[in-house]
Amino acid sequence: MAATCAGHMPWLEIAFDHSPAADKAFVGVEGANHGFLPCKPEFGDTFKRAFDYVDSWLGKPGRL
């Protein structure tokens, strides 16, 4: 999961591309900084959106 307001997006994309995992997804939290907090107020609750996504991903049948 990447934060789109952070400067490390290219490195995360490269790591994703090189990952041999069969079950993977590249997720960008729009407007989030490195701590998944909003870089501007108009992006809203980016921290909640990030962890809601993680919750839904982990909650899929067969995930754990």
Side-chain angles (χ1 to χ4, degrees):
M1 180 175 287
T4 64
C5 282
H8 54 272
M9 284 288 291
W11 307 115
L12 294 173
E13 290 180 276
I14 291 167
F16 176 82
D17 289 341
H18 285 85
S19 170
D23 183 11
K24 64 181 182 176
F26 189 82
V27 178
V29 181
E30 183 181 17
N33 65 17
H34 183 72
F36 293 106
L37 299 173
C39 57
K40 293 182 180 177
E42 57 263 29
F43 289 111
D45 195 347
T46 52
F47 193 82
K48 181 180 180 332
R49 282 201 320 270
F51 286 94
D52 283 350
Y53 179 85
V54 170
D55 180 50
S56 69
W57 188 86
L58 288 172
K60 289 183 181 176
R63 193 64 76 189
L64 296 176

